[in-house]
Amino acid sequence: MTTFKTLGQFIIEKQADFPYAKGELSRLLRDIGIAAKVVNREVNKAGLVDILGDAGQINVQGEGQKKLDVYADEQFIRALQSGGECCVVASEEHELPVDIDSELSRNAKYIVCIDPLDGSSNIDVNVSVGTIFSIYRRDSLGGRPTLKDILQKGDKQVAAGYIVYGSSTMLVYTTGKGVNGFTLDPSIGEFCLSHPEIRVPAMGQIYSVNEGNYSKFSDGVKKYIKYCQENDAPSQRPYTSRYIGSLVADIHRNLLLGGIFIYPATRTHPNGKLRLMYECNPIAFIIEQAGGRATDGCMRILDIEPGSLHQRSACFMGSTGMVAAIEHFLDAERNSV
Ligand code: P6P
């Protein structure tokens, strides 16, 4: 039986893990939790009000922006502006960083990279969507933060998390001392600790990949998929393919049950599709903190040196044993060239 504890109580309690903490990161996480509740309210009633459909704009990714994309982006930026603990936001919805230059945040030391509403193509068909965030401490002192402050390796994250707006709404995050999950109780409007100390099983039987791209995959990825289709998992049960097309939903399932999420380089996405700064890095941080593994097929995702804000990366993330298995096929492919 998990002790009743709200996200706010948990954040304050865990602040003791950081002897020099002055509460800024705690307040920043609180601000993100507040925005998550506001976005959740709109996601939950998306079908009832005219907030579905395209916002008629195209984002930096060249993707049609859904109204909820724009709304979520506005709500998280607004919460971070009013909270005063963040100096700049790098958002999937903005080509350039959004400078949070206000009296309140003048000396803020945290940077937030965020995908305000991931999986938004699923909004209109009522499939789970999510928010993904990554928090860094700025390196530079004084003046406005620079792009160099933002483009830090994933290994330098001070915190990362996601919100999954699904059958229930959950916030899962890490500050580098394990992973904890909180479920929103709408009756009291609080995220409550529901999944303490999440650990991803070392092996699983679920593989998540868009097999519609099969013809565009490398031989190594094809060999892994074929292996899963023709063999039983170590549990002596057949491997299972599960793919929702919403990163947060696919990762959340594999985090809890064990499994691997695969978005490899393909002919149409030679560097992978998912963005390093606000999708791969935060998820990789969470997966590693839960005892799993996250690589781009060659190296640890958290060791990738970012070159640009919206750069993409291949990713193989989840149960250690399953990521190691696909790396075996990828290594064999590289060595056969
Ligand atoms: P595909 C959603 O657009 C997203 O960024 C992730 O949430 C998801 O995992 C991926 O793209 C799905 O991509 O090419 O399989 O539709």
Side-chain angles (χ1 to χ4, degrees):
M1 169 74 177
T2 301
T3 316
F4 179 84
K5 197 167 289 178
T6 67
L7 174 65
Q9 290 170 323
F10 185 88
I11 290 170
I12 296 299
E13 182 186 290
K14 292 300 179 185
Q15 190 175 305
D17 291 346
F18 302 90
Y20 303 107
K22 289 183 284 194
E24 292 111 322
L25 181 60
S26 297
R27 285 191 291 273
L28 181 53
L29 290 167
R30 173 209 60 194
D31 299 338
I32 289 172
I34 291 167
K37 287 192 270 192
V38 173
V39 170
N40 174 68
R41 185 187 58 201
E42 293 308 311
V43 167
N44 277 350
K45 64 183 183 185
L48 301 174
V49 295
D50 177 32
I51 201 161
L52 282 172
D54 292 326
Q57 303 164 46
I58 301 293
N59 71 11
V60 64
Q61 320 297 335
E63 296 165 346
Q65 276 185 309
K66 297 284 183 187
K67 284 181 181 175
L68 268 177
D69 277 345
V70 176
Y71 179 81
D73 181 64
E74 288 168 355
Q75 294 308 316
F76 279 98
I77 290 177
R78 184 175 299 158
L80 294 170
Q81 279 168 331
S82 59
E85 301 302 346
C86 170
C87 59
V88 63
V89 178
S91 166
E92 182 194 49
E93 301 302 330
H94 295 264
E95 185 166 1
L96 300 173
V98 178
D99 195 351
I100 310 290
D101 186 8
S102 66
E103 201 53 47
L104 201 55
S105 62
R106 186 61 37 87
N107 300 315
K109 63 184 179 189
Y110 289 111
I111 293 163
V112 175
C113 299
I114 190 166
D115 183 353
L117 205 65
D118 176 74
S120 51
S121 56
N122 292 305
I123 292 171
D124 295 352
V125 293
N126 207 19
V127 167
S128 300
V129 292
T131 297
I132 311 169
F133 62 89
S134 167
I135 300 174
Y136 292 89
R137 190 175 287 106
R138 71 175 283 186
D139 276 338
S140 61
L141 296 172
R144 298 315 301 151
T146 63
L147 191 59
K148 186 171 178 297
D149 280 306
I150 301 171
L151 297 181
Q152 299 181 47
K153 287 200 300 187
D155 209 32
K156 305 277 275 185
Q157 292 174 96
V158 294
Y162 62 79
I163 298 100
V164 52
Y165 309 100
S167 46
S168 64
T169 294
M170 274 194 71
L171 186 150
V172 175
Y173 84 96
T174 181
T175 55
K177 297 197 182 279
V179 179
N180 291 280
F182 301 79
T183 300
L184 183 63
D185 179 342
S187 68
I188 58 172
E190 290 284 1
F191 281 104
C192 301
L193 181 64
S194 55
H195 296 68
E197 296 171 18
I198 298 173
R199 302 297 290 171
V200 57
M203 267 310 288
Q205 64 182 87
I206 298 171
Y207 64 99
S208 305
V209 62
N210 183 343
E211 293 183 62
N213 291 333
Y214 188 82
S215 62
K216 306 181 189 104
F217 291 154
S218 72
D219 289 346
V221 175
K222 286 179 182 173
K223 282 180 179 158
Y224 180 76
I225 293 172
K226 191 168 177 327
Y227 173 82
C228 291
Q229 290 168 340
E230 295 177 355
N231 292 274
D232 284 347
S235 58
Q236 301 303 309
R237 283 180 291 167
Y239 282 96
T240 302
S241 173
R242 287 282 183 277
Y243 191 74
I244 299 175
S246 186
L247 173 63
V248 172
D250 281 318
I251 284 292
H252 187 64
R253 180 200 52 244
N254 291 355
L255 181 73
L256 297 185
L257 302 180
I260 183 172
F261 176 88
I262 301 166
Y263 209 110
T266 67
R267 279 206 314 278
T268 40
H269 288 102
N271 298 314
K273 175 184 180 185
L274 301 183
R275 294 80 166 181
L276 177 64
M277 295 308 294
Y278 39 80
E279 289 177 325
C280 299
N281 271 341
I283 298 297
F285 190 20
I286 291 166
I287 290 285
E288 286 198 1
Q289 281 292 310
R293 186 180 175 85
T295 78
D296 67 355
C298 295
M299 67 187 289
R300 186 171 171 249
I301 282 179
L302 297 184
D303 288 336
I304 297 174
E305 196 68 56
S308 63
L309 209 49
H310 301 288
Q311 83 179 57
R312 300 173 191 264
S313 172
C315 59
F316 305 86
M317 305 190 283
S319 294
T320 303
M322 298 180 81
V323 176
I326 198 166
E327 286 175 344
H328 165 74
F329 288 107
L330 295 170
D331 285 343
E333 178 184 28
R334 278 191 289 272
N335 295 331
S336 67
V337 172

